[in-house]
Amino acid sequence: MMESFKVYLPSNACPHLFPDNTPTDYRIRFDKPIDLNGQWEVGVESVLYSSRINDDKERSEIVLNVETTVDKTVNSLYPYEFITTSPDPEIGVWKGFRGIVPTYFETDFTKIESVIKTLNDMNYDMLNPEKERKNGHIFYFSLDKDNHVEYECSDSTGFVLQLTNEMAKLLGFDYVSVLYGRKMKALLQPQFDKKDPLKQGAYLLRYLNTNVQESQKRIYLKVFGAPFDGKEDALLKLWEKTVTSSWKIKAEFKSEKLILHNWNAGIGIRFSPEFSNRFCHPAPFFGKGSRWAFQAPKWTEGTIEQEQWYVDIYTEKMETTEQKAVIDVSLELYPWRSASMKKLIYLINTKMVSLLKLNLENKYDAAKYRFELTFDDVSGHCNLILGPMLHSCNLSKNLSYLLGFKSDEIRERASSGVRKVDSLTNHSRQLHLISNVIQPTAYGKHQRQILCDFLHVRDLKPITGKRFDPISYHPVARSGIDMIHLRLTDDTYNNISIQDVTTIVTLYFRKVKRQSV
């Protein structure tokens, strides 16, 4: 009785039955099924295939995450104010100015109608008393029959609108930047330059109104003589009711310390001296973020009646017209086509610099966007230097291995390879031969019919022959075999692509010998 046999499986054996067969993914059907009685196992004796593999490991990719700035002209509004307080706190009248600064322009800024619409929409951000908003606007810009800009103000309380010089010139007011009174007409027609977009601060508006009380944005938590019973819970209830409900600034206690959370970038807060002392918060407290008290509150027995607690809410000046963004710059190359490692590194450096210049145009700065890959002859390691505006460098898996780096994602400004660089000719890669004739094998995260895995070493010869000694055997999946399916894959289990030559796999079947007890 036969105890073992070999099967030769060329990829071009059954073109009439399986026309879609390829050298790395093919099926062979037998005229007569192979019947196996008892327990059998099978292994790969040899694989003959093309040494010129053309798969993802041949093509390599580098992706740079590049920080850039995208200049945006204005239209998004943020209010701000500067306040000077009267020396007498009981009067509480302040003098100063308020204004708005749009930060980007979503509509077509080359059209006067679009700019005028933006200006008119600013009425609702002028923070004037409610009675001045009943007519739908405080001021109004329009075009007359001669296509000149006309300004009209409906406010009668000393309202004055001030433009930047750029805005005044743009609208045709020339350099008359202060608009006062009920009505004012531009002397010139609007001036637009499509090649020169509006710059930072071009849409800056200010308005003056001295008939506003400073206490308009002062929130009182506790006034003189008002009792305050309790500790944390009572304060949090007061804060939630008076501050959080209006300004979304939250308060909480952790480890007995008061923490305040302010996530509105345009809002700042300042405490009364009594509040700061009582809750151990350094005064003043400004801006966005979370702030901690430096120690627990100074609680005393009984109620607190003689202190005044208030929180001043103010808005900050915001006039940036630039928004940072990250773009991807991608480079694809075939490292095996380079004559040497130094030639490959030179190719990567020159192509990457060219791509950065092409994508960034006039924003390109050689120091900020530095990309320099070097090779150390003494240590045999590669080194990579990234400029401050390059967030990270992502290498394809095989390229990171080829260059000797530990990871395929590099975030450090200066990184060195962890191993010596292999030659391009002798670089190895992992291949798997998968078949339907064996039972699934636990490999990685999934069960796969992996018949064997082996290293492919690049060779200048057109055909590579791989013989296995000793042979690694696997249990045969079934007793009757009428068709064998073979796949040659990479380490991600994707079929590789090679030149159109015949692949020959030799399988060795043997019967499992019973072990004596």
Side-chain angles (χ1 to χ4, degrees), residues 24-62:
T24 57
D25 188 353
Y26 62 93
R27 294 172 172 83
I28 292 180
R29 186 177 297 280
F30 303 109
D31 294 335
K32 183 180 179 181
I34 301 174
D35 293 324
L36 301 174
N37 296 319
Q39 293 183 339
W40 287 75
E41 56 189 6
V42 62
V44 181
E45 183 182 76
S46 65
V47 180
L48 195 68
Y49 63 103
S50 172
S51 59
R52 288 180 169 82
I53 294 177
N54 184 23
D55 67 334
D56 285 339
K57 289 193 173 297
E58 180 75 12
R59 184 181 70 252
S60 297
E61 186 178 37
I62 303 175

Side-chain angles (χ1 to χ4, degrees), residues 440-496:
T441 304
Y443 201 95
K445 296 181 179 179
H446 305 283
Q447 294 277 333
R448 298 186 183 276
Q449 289 84 359
I450 297 180
L451 193 60
C452 69
D453 59 278
F454 58 97
L455 286 178
H456 166 79
V457 180
R458 181 167 174 81
D459 197 338
L460 296 178
K461 298 178 181 179
I463 302 298
T464 294
K466 177 70 175 177
R467 294 190 61 86
F468 299 93
D469 186 18
I471 299 174
S472 178
Y473 290 94
H474 305 270
V476 177
R478 55 186 183 272
S479 59
I481 302 175
D482 60 344
M483 186 269 291
I484 293 181
H485 182 195
L486 294 173
R487 290 174 55 215
L488 192 61
T489 73
D490 60 15
D491 52 5
T492 61
Y493 306 112
N494 293 316
N495 294 340
I496 63 173

Side-chain angles (χ1 to χ4, degrees), residues 428-440:
S428 301
R429 68 197 71 186
Q430 196 81 7
L431 297 180
H432 303 296
L433 186 63
I434 300 178
S435 174
N436 65 326
V437 299
I438 67 169
Q439 296 178 1

Side-chain angles (χ1 to χ4, degrees), residues 90 98 126 141 175 285 326 363 391-392 431 484 513:
E90 293 183 2
R98 297 180 177 184
M126 285 303 187
F141 286 91
Y175 287 102
F285 162 60
V326 176
K363 297 184 181 67
H391 277 249
S392 63
L431 297 180
I484 293 181
K513 295 181 180 180

Side-chain angles (χ1 to χ4, degrees), residues 2 11 96 131 154 212 238 252 262 282 323 353 511:
M2 183 172 57
S11 60
K131 63 181 181 179
S154 61
V212 181
L238 276 175
E252 63 175 336
N262 175 26
Q323 177 177 330
V353 171
K511 196 169 186 179

Side-chain angles (χ1 to χ4, degrees), residues 71-79 100-109 111 113-123 125 167 198-205 318-322:
D71 294 334
K72 293 186 177 180
T73 45
V74 296
N75 196 29
S76 178
L77 310 180
Y78 290 91
I100 51 177
V101 185
T103 57
Y104 65 90
F105 194 80
E106 295 175 341
T107 52
D108 186 358
F109 68 88
K111 294 182 179 180
E113 295 84 358
S114 180
V115 176
I116 287 180
K117 181 181 183 301
T118 301
L119 292 172
N120 290 333
D121 289 344
M122 294 179 184
N123 282 278
D125 293 273
M167 172 60 74
L198 300 175
K199 298 178 181 179
Q200 178 174 346
Y203 267 77
L204 174 62
L205 294 184
M318 304 180 67
E319 53 180 308
T320 178
T321 60
E322 294 184 345

